[in-house]
Amino acid sequence: MDPECSKLLPALCAVLADPRQLVADDTCLEKLLDWFKTVMETESSLHLLQDHPCLMELLSHVLKTQDVSPRVLSFVLRLVGIFAAQEDCFQYLQGELLLGLFGETGALSWTAWNMPSVRSGWIQGLCSLAHHPSALHFLADSGAVDTIFALQGDPSLFVASAASQLLVHILALAMQGGASGSPISEAAAWPICAQKIVNHVEESLHSKATPQVTQALNVLTTTFGRCHSPWTGVLWGRLSPPVACLFERDPIPAVHSLMDLLLSVARSHVLNFAACGLWEMLAQTLSRLSPTQAGPLALGTLKLQHCPQELRTQAFGVLLQPLACILKATTQAPGPPGLLDGTAGSSLTVDALLSSKSACVGLLCQTLAHLEELQMLPQCPCPWPQVPLLGATVTILRLCDGSVDPSSSMGGRLCGTLGGCVRVQRAALDFLGTLSQGTSPLELVLEVFAVLLKTLESPESSPTVLKKAFQATLRWLQNSHKTPNCSDLSPDALLFLGELFPILQKRLCSPCWEVRDSALEFLTHLIRHWGGQADFREALHSSEVPTLARQLLQDPESYVRASAVGTAGQLSSRGLQATSASPENPLAQQGLLMDLMHILSTDSEGFPRRAVLRVFTEWLRDGHADVIRDTEWFVATVLQAVSRDLDWEVRMQGLELAQVFLIQAMGQPSLHCPYTVGLPEATSPRPHPEFLQTLCRLPLFEFAFCALLDCDRPVAQKACDLLLFLRDKTTHCSGPQEAGDSPNSASVEAVLQRWREGEQGQPLGDLEPEAMLAILRSLDLEGLQGKLAKSSDHVEKSPQSLLQDMLATVGILEENEADCY
Amino acid sequence: MPEIRVTPLGAGQDVGRSCILVSISGKNVMLDCGMHMGYNDDRRFPDFSYITQSGRLTDFLDCVIISHFHLDHCGALPYFSEMVGYDGPIYMTHPTQAICPILLEDYRKIAVDKKGEANFFTSQMIKDCMKKVVAVHLHQTVQVDDELEIKAYYAGHVLGAAMFQIKVGSESVVYTGDYNMTPDRHLGAAWIDKCRPNLLITESTYATTIRDSKRCRERDFLKKVHETVERGGKVLIPVFALGRAQELCILLETFWERMNLKVPIYFSTGLTEKANHYYKLFITWTNQKIRKTFVQRNMFEFKHIKAFDRTFADNPGPMVVFATPGMLHAGQSLQIFRKWAGNEKNMVIMPGYCVQGTVGHKILSGQRKLEMEGRQVLEVKMQVEYMSFSAHADAKGIMQLVGQAEPESVLLVHGEAKKMEFLRQKIEQEFRVSCYMPANGETVTLPTSPSIPVGISLGLLKREMVQGLLPEAKKPRLLHGTLVMKDSSFRLVSSEQALKELGLAEHQLRFTCRVHLQDTRKEQETALRVYSHLKSTLKDHCVQHLPDGSVTVESILIQAAAHSEDPGTKVLLVSWTYQDEELGSFLTALLKNGLPQAPS
């Protein structure tokens, strides 16, 4: 502990022990504990206590009087736990103090025990303390374990959950000590503490009360999740019979916890599953649960590394059942192959789908999400029934948009239930997007495109549905390449685009900003992928889409303006500008450049300005025609606008652009910009003195120099990196004579003086390259870089600052405290 | 048993980050999704892992409702929807939807700037999150699904703040969010109709406070600003992007106009235009005065308040600057503070709460020597003032709202335990309703009585009419009949009709009770005494003494017997049919009181 904190600690302890003093901010005690934990990582807690008697005084005071606030009581319990985590300190505190705080006559008997924060502090204190054999004896002797059992049923979720976690922690600690010799194959020979916990869990498993069963199952789930020693096999051997008995009850109690336990056990590396009957138990559970309950278990089973094929098939069947029902209910016989053909249809699934709207919607959403997750996993079942799954998903979307002609009464009822159901539509579109990864027959792909078009076109589609439809469409377009050149669009995709663009036009004019924005984002992706392809360009040009996208630069919603900037930038990069059919028309391009410059200097919101800088930086990197026409003018104009910007992210992006310019101008291909390699400018560096003149004239150097003092740390950091780069390059290139006295050293010194005094925003005036180099050499950029690398609040976040703040708030009006936001 | 369950994950006996889970008739709703600005790790967000132990959040939660744009109510939303994975609907009012992303973006920029945090939500995430929002109008009933509906009421507090009624069938909960029962310069007072919810969840920030006059606070504020600029000093007012800042701007603008002051007022970060835009757009959400004067002059188009340029801070002479962020913990406001702190002529006015660790917190707690970066010490000579302008209902206002809504029970959130306890007792005493104040993580379960429509047979009604008792609208009446539950419908019919309809035979059921009497006389004599006592007490009933010694009162039969063990005690066996349940109970009670002494 540093001496300054040591000095402050007695006063703080006195404040904490004084019930009349309020601890002003409830986060302070949390942070104080964080600090003690950090200190304890490197120091002996025993020494700390001995060196700071004020701490013992605080603990003893609380023990004797308990007149402090519940939050201080809770703090003290947790603090003692942290101290006692070290065995020598535990011995030091063991006498009256530990028993007085954690024993039956301790916190449990206090009035403040009613407060969940105190009970929580008691548990957390014990959890910190339980790290050595002495702690185990203490826990066994003090009766604490029985209290923890009781706290498992605490009305506070936080306390109850922490109690269960603590039991697992104690069990693991006990077994860790016990397992040091030969593996204990008999649970009867386990340490007393462990036996007590296992007996309690076993007893709870036999209980008729579901909450108790749930608590026991949760303890076991956590145990198998955390502990991977051989003793867990013995534990399961003992407790699997009562767990199996739970399945014989009707209804099965605590289904979710039971499923979690089975999966947790199945993920364990130490058990011999075949011998312990786990697979049978899983199979039995899958067949007994309702489809909605069984879904998560089926997914969990399929995710297991080692699992018998038969069980995998059964689990996959559970996930496929609802979609199989959908197909069966809507397919005209004889139709294409369905899902799970030949197996008996699950009446339970049909019942769930037809029982109520919420049951149907819940089951379908869950199933679609599970299948989506499964398809992206390495454990994805093979063969994957791509075709029927795609068919079912398209059918669900059609049931939602009302375009299915039901072939059965069940189909009719499903139509009524799912018509216009946004939740199911969203889930189905998500899955549909994922299904694009598989190979599908052409007619089905066409069906997918048709249903996507219908969704995108429908006036009923909500903004969230449209967004997902756009995302799914993009994935299908990306994955539907059938031509030899994989990046090209297939003919069907092109036909689809022909129909899509008119719809996109409408969506760009939507009254909802969410829709306009999603449409623009989608369009930007399209152009990025296929902007170079002739057919795509033609399809795009024959629509009004580019013009509309350009018009959205004036959208009232800033998010949309920002997206429109991105789209316009992409269009222009690909020579697909809006106003002219001829891509070579320079006026139209120039118009966009000026429009974007206008946005950069006048838009009241940060998003569009940041978007403009992203576009400009990309243009500069890629050697956009407008930029290379007069790069200096371009960079100078951008930097001028950016230097006045109040949004620090804009200023930072301005520095990014300046860096790209520097790298290009110096002919240094950078890792950050691989495209510069091919550019003529990049390969032919300018003469050095002339280049330095340019930096002064732009004035790029001044911009970066002023940014070193920016009030926002990331900007200063970026500027520092940029100037270091510049200094390294110029030192390398400049001759020894340039490092000598500069002709205007007085002006350099004046600049540096102003800088040291922290004056910002004062123009440097006309600076000669030599002066610039002199300034660069005089700045301790490495030192500054080191300082800036720390977060800007490292001083305020220091323990000293915390202690000072806590002390300073003593006596401050209580009114300030409650006045939150 | 149908029930309503409420579990605060945040705002349970604290004012940190509001996040309350409500389960009503099987529907699960999250009320607010706030963050705690006092932490800079995961503790700043509510622990969402407690929402559901199994299954996906989107499947479990039916919707999220955000009451207003303050970060302690919406700050965790992008984290919840884009990083934790909730993909369902989010409801808020139109102004909240418009302003929320500005504050989230403002905070993101501060967090990333200050801490250099990488694991924080991005601008794109804020946008994607806002796209999931469904905006609602005041008093518009919105169907979340076939069963769940919500309705927003005006809450004052800040532009767009709303209270929400959540209803499933006949059960309902009202969540107030933060509200203000007194109008301020630009907003009106909260209002709700007599919706009689099963539960009212109300904030209780000022549970024990009766706020001092707002006018006094305003006068103080203006006086301080005026005095400082008069003596040539500069005034810094650190604020968050939107909200309280607008209230203060109106205040200063009006004062400057009235006093014809020329000292410049600046607002940093270009937020004035944005604020203008939104206040114009949502003029219907402001108070009557602003709406009235809007035609001649928009209160939010400030004549005296100009956009700030970073170089202005070095200008000589007096000025007033509103700068972000509000706690002086980074960026523009901190930079200006550093420049001006050394001059005792200057002043900083903190109009809101500051968390520990910020420069704002330090100077408010009286620290005058601040260690800055690089071990530099900044001596604060400028004056430091705290001016609370938060717009919460005080104790009186909370009671007023409870009175307005007439809930069956009340649950307090967003306040401190001690103060809540005081208010809880007050509410229970005054309104005779249960009042709860769960801590974070504690679940309150309220059984509810759903109203189920029951049809009544005409025959039964006619029989009642024949008895001469005409129905009265406001007077509850007891009516006996048999409830037939068949084909999901409920009907009350006469027992004869029920037997006929259901094809059942009638069974006679008698209730029995034993009453012990201290009486040494013989059984017959005891029975006679009982007869005499009842005859004199029950003058309107037919009391008979039968030849076998037993006594009857209507269908009630009383027999006296000797006690098997105690000859000094007699046992009265009382039995009656269910039709005479009331009389039977009355008689039993009467006999238990003993018999009057026989005249000697």
Side-chain angles (χ1 to χ4, degrees):
Chain A
M1 186 182 294
D2 69 70
E4 275 151 353
C5 291
S6 286
K7 255 187 254 166
L8 293 167
L9 205 53
L12 183 71
C13 287
V15 168
L16 290 175
D18 186 347
R20 291 161 305 172
Q21 305 292 358
L22 288 167
V23 183
D25 188 322
D26 54 2
T27 62
C28 291
L29 293 172
E30 289 283 330
K31 292 177 191 168
L32 202 57
L33 283 171
D34 290 348
W35 172 57
F36 274 113
K37 268 185 215 157
T38 321
V39 173
M40 294 304 102
E41 279 167 16
T42 52
E43 289 182 34
S44 150
S45 43
L46 181 59
H47 290 164
L48 187 83
L49 281 180
Q50 285 167 342
D51 295 344
H52 299 89
C54 60
L55 285 169
M56 273 310 280
E57 280 161 26
L58 170 67
L59 304 183
S60 310
H61 174 84
V62 169
L63 182 66
K64 268 183 217 142
T65 62
Q66 304 126 38
D67 60 351
V68 292
S69 69
R71 65 169 76 155
V72 175
L73 283 176
S74 172
F75 164 79
V76 164
L77 288 164
R78 291 163 69 187
L79 183 65
V80 171
I82 295 171
F83 288 145
Q86 294 178 15
E87 201 158 6
D88 55 351
C89 192
F90 174 86
Q91 306 292 359
Y92 180 72
L93 296 169
Q94 196 179 9
E96 193 191 344
L97 194 86
L98 281 185
L99 216 54
L101 288 174
F102 293 104
E104 277 165 347
T105 54
L108 280 77
S109 60
W110 302 344
T111 325
W113 185 252
N114 292 331
M115 304 295 289
S117 62
V118 174
R119 299 196 297 275
S120 179
W122 185 86
I123 293 179
Q124 289 178 52
L126 281 184
C127 197
S128 305
L129 171 154
H131 275 95
H132 39 73
S134 311
L136 273 180
H137 292 300
F138 172 75
L139 288 166
D141 299 343
S142 64
V145 176
D146 290 313
T147 311
I148 304 169
F149 291 156
L151 288 176
Q152 281 184 289
D154 199 90
S156 163
L157 283 177
F158 301 162
V159 175
S161 160
S164 290
Q165 307 275 331
L166 178 57
L167 282 184
V168 178
H169 179 75
I170 296 171
L171 180 63
L173 177 72
M175 292 313 295
Q176 190 188 330
S180 55
S182 58
I184 301 166
S185 55
E186 277 296 313
W190 284 7
I192 294 171
C193 227
Q195 278 192 46
K196 193 167 180 172
I197 293 171
V198 173
N199 290 342
H200 167 75
V201 170
E202 189 171 19
E203 221 169 87
S204 305
L205 287 174
H206 286 119
S207 166
K208 293 278 174 271
T210 304
Q212 253 166 294
V213 176
T214 311
Q215 288 157 20
L217 293 171
N218 289 347
V219 168
L220 288 178
T221 304
T222 317
T223 306
F224 289 104
R226 277 198 206 156
C227 310
H228 304 288
S229 304
W231 63 265
T232 52
V234 182
L235 181 69
W236 182 242
R238 174 165 164 190
L239 295 182
S240 58
V243 170
C245 284
L246 295 174
F247 291 105
E248 284 156 23
R249 295 195 200 168
D250 192 20
I252 301 173
V255 171
H256 291 301
S257 301
L258 203 46
M259 290 190 309
D260 289 345
L261 172 63
L262 293 185
L263 290 173
S264 179
V265 174
R267 282 191 289 263
S268 168
H269 308 301
V270 288
L271 298 181
N272 179 354
F273 301 124
C276 69
L278 182 74
W279 304 136
E280 289 77 19
M281 220 183 263
L282 272 170
Q284 195 193 353
T285 317
L286 279 172
S287 59
R288 275 206 57 192
L289 297 178
S290 76
T292 315
Q293 287 174 327
L297 182 64
L299 179 66
T301 307
L302 286 162
K303 281 184 190 173
L304 294 173
Q305 298 286 344
H306 313 285
C307 171
Q309 188 53 43
E310 204 180 325
L311 185 60
R312 284 178 65 81
T313 311
Q314 186 190 354
F316 196 35
V318 167
L319 292 186
L320 295 179
Q321 270 290 350
L323 299 197
C325 287
I326 295 279
L327 276 183
K328 213 173 255 177
T330 50
T331 312
Q332 305 279 352
L339 278 164
L340 303 171
D341 278 346
T343 61
S346 159
S347 59
L348 277 176
T349 309
V350 174
D351 287 350
L353 285 172
L354 297 182
S355 66
S356 72
K357 180 166 179 170
S358 58
C360 176
V361 170
L363 178 60
L364 283 181
C365 287
Q366 180 188 279
T367 306
L368 290 163
H370 284 160
L371 287 167
E372 186 194 345
E373 191 181 337
L374 191 63
Q375 200 192 346
M376 292 187 287
L377 293 173
Q379 301 95 318
C380 172
C382 186
W384 177 255
Q386 169 78 7
V387 172
L389 278 179
L390 192 54
T393 313
V394 169
T395 306
I396 289 174
L397 283 168
R398 289 207 169 134
L399 284 166
C400 293
D401 70 25
S403 62
V404 163
D405 191 11
S407 60
S408 65
S409 65
M410 185 183 169
R413 284 179 69 180
L414 284 171
C415 262
T417 307
L418 297 179
C421 181
V422 175
R423 270 185 73 186
V424 174
Q425 255 180 319
R426 284 198 304 244
L429 284 166
D430 276 341
F431 185 42
L432 187 70
T434 312
L435 281 169
S436 69
Q437 288 172 354
T439 314
S440 315
L442 181 63
E443 57 278 16
L444 211 46
V445 176
L446 293 178
E447 269 192 57
V448 169
F449 282 146
V451 81
L452 283 171
L453 275 180
K454 179 125 202 259
T455 311
L456 289 169
E457 193 175 22
S458 167
E460 309 290 319
S461 297
S462 76
T464 46
V465 166
L466 283 172
K467 189 184 168 192
K468 288 194 186 287
F470 278 130
Q471 286 168 339
T473 305
L474 191 68
R475 295 181 78 173
W476 274 93
L477 283 172
Q478 283 169 336
N479 290 306
S480 70
H481 42 72
K482 295 279 178 257
T483 51
N485 181 351
C486 282
S487 64
D488 284 358
L489 283 162
S490 66
D492 309 303
L494 277 168
L495 274 178
F496 169 69
L497 279 179
E499 289 181 70
L500 178 70
F501 282 134
I503 295 172
L504 197 58
Q505 263 169 232
K506 274 187 208 156
R507 292 304 179 192
L508 288 170
C509 303
S510 165
C512 286
W513 73 265
E514 297 93 331
V515 176
R516 297 196 300 278
D517 191 73
S518 298
L520 281 170
E521 283 180 335
F522 171 69
L523 178 60
T524 312
H525 283 296
L526 285 185
I527 302 164
R528 188 165 289 141
H529 277 101
W530 298 287
Q533 203 186 324
D535 294 334
F536 174 85
R537 294 166 72 89
E538 201 183 312
L540 184 66
H541 268 309
S542 60
S543 75
E544 293 291 309
V545 167
T547 315
L548 288 168
R550 176 90 179 249
Q551 281 168 6
L552 291 177
L553 288 174
Q554 270 99 45
D555 197 274
E557 179 58 47
S558 64
Y559 277 138
V560 180
R561 289 200 299 279
S563 295
V565 166
T567 313
Q570 272 295 321
L571 281 168
S572 175
S573 295
R574 300 292 189 146
L576 287 161
Q577 68 281 0
T579 50
S580 164
S582 127
E584 286 75 35
N585 180 354
L587 280 175
Q589 293 279 21
Q590 200 66 19
L592 179 63
L593 179 69
M594 296 318 289
D595 281 355
L596 296 187
M597 284 288 188
H598 182 71
I599 290 173
L600 180 63
S601 36
T602 58
D603 201 298
S604 63
E605 305 223 22
F607 313 114
R609 303 201 303 272
R610 288 186 331 234
V612 167
L613 271 176
R614 272 196 298 275
V615 167
F616 281 172
T617 310
E618 206 173 310
W619 281 6
L620 184 64
R621 270 199 191 118
D622 298 352
H624 189 283
D626 288 342
V627 174
I628 53 172
R629 191 170 299 124
D630 189 349
T631 313
E632 277 187 30
W633 172 84
F634 170 76
V635 174
T637 316
V638 171
L639 294 187
Q640 196 188 3
V642 166
S643 61
R644 288 195 306 265
D645 207 293
L646 288 166
D647 183 332
W648 67 261
E649 282 174 314
V650 174
R651 300 199 294 280
M652 200 161 90
Q653 285 183 352
L655 286 161
E656 174 73 29
L657 182 131
Q659 191 175 8
V660 171
F661 173 74
L662 265 186
I663 291 167
Q664 286 191 346
M666 294 172 118
Q668 299 284 335
S670 155
L671 284 176
H672 302 296
C673 45
Y675 309 116
T676 53
V677 181
L679 294 172
E681 285 81 3
T683 50
S684 56
R686 293 171 190 196
H688 188 233
E690 196 182 309
F691 164 65
L692 294 179
Q693 286 282 5
T694 312
L695 292 188
C696 293
R697 198 169 52 241
L698 276 177
L700 187 144
F701 175 73
E702 181 175 330
F703 173 63
F705 181 74
C706 290
L708 274 182
L709 283 179
D710 199 285
C711 59
D712 293 290
R713 188 185 58 90
V715 180
Q717 216 172 0
K718 183 92 191 162
C720 193
D721 292 347
L722 181 81
L723 290 176
L724 268 169
F725 172 79
L726 181 62
R727 195 193 65 188
D728 292 348
K729 297 298 166 198
T730 48
T731 311
H732 175 70
C733 299
S734 58
Q737 73 281 6
E738 279 173 304
D741 283 341
S742 126
N744 48 2
S745 58
S747 70
V748 169
E749 195 41 51
V751 168
L752 287 170
Q753 186 57 35
R754 282 212 304 273
W755 185 77
R756 284 186 202 109
E757 282 166 8
E759 276 187 36
Q760 191 204 356
Q762 304 298 325
L764 297 182
D766 288 337
L767 212 60
E768 290 303 314
E770 290 75 20
M772 180 187 85
L773 291 174
I775 292 171
L776 267 181
R777 280 194 298 270
S778 310
L779 291 170
D780 175 20
L781 289 171
E782 279 87 359
L784 190 63
Q785 197 182 32
K787 256 190 235 169
L788 290 168
K790 292 180 189 166
S791 71
S792 70
D793 59 352
H794 72 277
V795 176
E796 295 157 29
K797 236 169 59 180
S798 69
Q800 192 190 337
S801 157
L802 174 66
L803 300 184
Q804 279 168 345
D805 285 356
M806 289 181 79
L807 286 171
T809 37
V810 174
I812 292 291
L813 277 180
E814 201 181 320
E815 188 68 1
N816 291 10
E817 185 188 358
D819 183 24
C820 193
Y821 316 109
Chain B
M1 187 69 162
E3 58 186 26
I4 293 173
R5 272 180 294 123
V6 183
T7 314
L9 291 183
Q13 300 184 9
D14 76 14
V15 279
R17 60 207 141 182
S18 292
C19 183
I20 299 142
L21 297 175
V22 172
S23 176
I24 169 170
S25 299
K27 298 284 169 185
N28 299 303
V29 178
M30 183 196 275
L31 303 171
D32 281 336
C33 188
M35 81 161 142
H36 199 310
M37 293 171 91
Y39 293 109
N40 45 27
D41 52 23
D42 278 353
R43 284 175 287 187
R44 75 178 127 216
F45 300 127
D47 192 343
F48 297 119
S49 64
Y50 287 96
I51 296 177
T52 169
Q53 295 297 315
S54 55
R56 299 179 332 126
L57 276 174
T58 312
D59 293 334
F60 180 80
L61 276 182
D62 291 282
C63 71
V64 173
I65 295 173
I66 301 294
S67 64
H68 65 287
F69 62 65
H70 276 154
L71 292 176
D72 59 331
H73 293 260
C74 72
L77 200 54
Y79 171 75
F80 185 58
S81 73
E82 307 308 307
M83 295 168 92
V84 178
Y86 172 70
D87 198 25
I90 300 162
Y91 292 89
M92 55 179 79
T93 64
H94 285 276
T96 307
Q97 187 199 24
I99 299 169
C100 199
I102 299 173
L103 288 198
L104 288 167
E105 180 67 12
D106 196 41
Y107 188 76
R108 181 195 67 79
K109 288 173 78 73
I110 295 164
V112 178
D113 170 1
K114 193 174 162 61
K115 317 257 164 52
E117 287 180 59
N119 190 24
F120 204 75
F121 48 76
T122 61
S123 273
Q124 181 69 35
M125 286 176 182
I126 298 174
K127 179 167 85 171
D128 289 340
C129 167
M130 295 318 294
K131 283 186 180 177
K132 292 176 184 169
V133 169
V134 182
V136 301
H137 294 286
L138 281 179
H139 306 153
Q140 170 201 4
T141 301
V142 178
Q143 287 296 142
V144 176
D145 59 33
D146 287 356
E147 292 143 5
L148 172 64
E149 63 182 45
I150 59 171
K151 189 173 176 181
Y153 291 94
Y154 191 78
H157 186 62
V158 288
L159 192 76
M163 305 191 266
F164 278 89
Q165 183 188 36
I166 303 117
K167 206 170 169 192
V168 182
S170 60
E171 290 173 24
S172 68
V173 170
V174 168
Y175 172 58
T176 64
D178 290 353
Y179 64 102
N180 190 7
M181 294 297 281
T182 49
D184 61 20
R185 267 175 198 270
H186 70 295
L187 297 169
W191 179 86
I192 194 160
D193 56 25
K194 210 174 276 305
C195 53
R196 297 194 175 106
N198 298 86
L199 177 68
L200 173 77
I201 303 175
T202 172
E203 67 130 325
S204 50
T205 318
Y206 293 143
T208 54
T209 321
I210 303 296
R211 299 284 281 160
D212 56 332
S213 156
K214 207 172 162 60
R215 296 281 160 211
C216 289
R217 264 179 290 142
E218 289 175 357
R219 215 169 35 233
D220 268 7
F221 169 77
L222 292 170
K223 192 169 159 238
K224 278 170 185 160
V225 173
H226 192 202
E227 279 171 5
T228 308
V229 294
E230 279 290 285
R231 61 169 182 264
K234 295 177 166 67
V235 180
L236 170 65
I237 308 171
V239 286
F240 280 103
L242 275 161
R244 205 169 322 197
Q246 277 59 52
E247 176 81 0
L248 297 182
C249 283
I250 298 176
L251 201 58
L252 278 188
E253 171 82 8
T254 321
F255 185 71
W256 249 236
E257 189 69 22
R258 198 172 71 229
M259 305 291 287
N260 196 22
L261 296 176
K262 300 287 175 233
V263 174
I265 308 175
Y266 299 114
F267 203 118
S268 81
T269 72
L271 283 167
T272 36
E273 289 168 44
K274 213 181 299 180
N276 267 344
H277 173 69
Y278 288 124
Y279 280 83
K280 261 189 255 176
L281 200 60
F282 302 116
I283 193 78
T284 51
W285 285 79
T286 56
N287 66 24
Q288 213 179 4
K289 189 181 165 196
I290 293 215
R291 287 204 301 270
K292 265 187 186 167
T293 55
F294 185 70
V295 188
Q296 305 121 31
R297 189 175 80 84
N298 174 6
M299 289 276 254
F300 298 99
E301 258 167 26
F302 302 116
K303 194 170 121 194
H304 299 274
I305 303 171
K306 303 276 186 297
F308 182 70
D309 184 291
R310 290 190 297 152
T311 53
F312 292 173
D314 296 320
N315 287 356
M319 68 176 87
V320 180
V321 175
F322 287 92
T324 60
M327 300 187 193
L328 283 180
H329 48 323
Q332 201 75 62
S333 63
L334 182 60
Q335 194 178 44
I336 299 172
F337 173 77
R338 288 168 88 147
K339 281 180 194 289
W340 295 357
N343 189 338
E344 61 274 11
K345 277 205 291 190
N346 299 339
M347 177 185 280
V348 57
I349 299 181
M350 308 295 300
Y353 171 78
C354 294
V355 299
Q356 185 276 323
T358 58
V359 171
H361 181 269
K362 283 176 191 295
I363 57 169
L364 274 182
S365 61
Q367 297 180 60
R368 289 294 174 264
K369 283 192 176 161
L370 307 179
E371 190 189 327
M372 307 305 273
E373 308 295 317
R375 301 197 74 81
Q376 289 173 341
V377 173
L378 178 71
E379 196 167 349
V380 182
K381 290 183 184 158
M382 75 197 298
Q383 293 176 64
V384 179
E385 293 290 341
Y386 176 77
M387 275 282 166
S388 164
F389 284 91
S390 66
H392 292 275
D394 61 6
K396 206 171 128 194
I398 297 170
M399 297 298 280
Q400 198 184 330
L401 187 89
V402 176
Q404 247 177 44
E406 286 192 4
E408 280 175 21
S409 43
V410 178
L411 189 144
L412 304 178
V413 291
H414 201 282
E416 290 166 70
K418 252 188 202 168
K419 295 179 181 177
M420 278 181 173
E421 182 54 43
F422 174 82
L423 186 67
R424 189 179 71 81
Q425 288 176 12
K426 210 170 150 194
I427 289 173
E428 288 192 337
Q429 276 166 14
E430 194 158 316
F431 297 103
R432 307 267 164 217
V433 296
S434 304
C435 184
Y436 307 87
M437 39 174 281
N440 286 330
E442 278 187 325
T443 301
V444 168
T445 307
L446 297 170
T448 56
S449 336
S451 82
I452 301 165
V454 175
I456 184 161
S457 79
L458 206 59
L460 199 61
L461 273 181
K462 277 183 181 163
R463 198 163 72 184
E464 288 290 308
M465 298 279 283
V466 169
Q467 287 177 2
L469 300 164
L470 289 170
E472 277 180 66
K474 285 187 178 172
K475 214 170 170 186
R477 278 254 304 278
L478 192 68
L479 189 90
H480 288 278
T482 304
L483 187 68
V484 180
M485 296 186 279
K486 206 175 160 189
D487 302 329
S488 322
S489 74
F490 296 78
R491 279 181 315 118
L492 194 67
V493 297
S494 64
S495 49
E496 300 81 27
Q497 194 182 334
L499 289 170
K500 204 172 149 191
E501 272 186 29
L502 302 170
L504 300 172
E506 190 175 8
H507 292 268
Q508 189 67 253
L509 192 71
R510 289 189 77 86
F511 298 92
T512 59
C513 177
R514 283 164 192 266
V515 178
H516 291 89
L517 280 182
Q518 291 296 321
D519 194 355
T520 49
R521 297 179 184 91
K522 285 189 175 163
E523 294 90 355
Q524 293 87 340
E525 285 177 49
T526 307
L528 198 58
R529 283 182 68 204
V530 169
Y531 169 72
S532 314
H533 177 47
L534 295 180
K535 186 87 184 160
S536 62
T537 314
L538 305 168
K539 292 213 165 65
D540 295 337
H541 292 273
C542 171
V543 184
Q544 288 180 299
H545 191 204
L546 301 182
D548 65 352
S550 49
V551 179
T552 61
V553 184
E554 312 293 352
S555 75
I556 296 156
L557 181 69
I558 303 160
Q559 290 173 317
H563 196 281
S564 57
E565 288 165 15
D566 179 9
T569 301
K570 294 290 164 301
V571 180
L572 295 180
L573 297 164
V574 188
S575 78
W576 63 90
T577 63
Y578 86 95
Q579 286 92 341
D580 283 325
E581 167 70 27
E582 271 181 70
L583 186 61
S585 305
F586 172 74
L587 265 184
T588 317
L590 188 72
L591 292 171
K592 274 181 182 166
N593 286 337
L595 300 173
Q597 285 297 314
S600 50

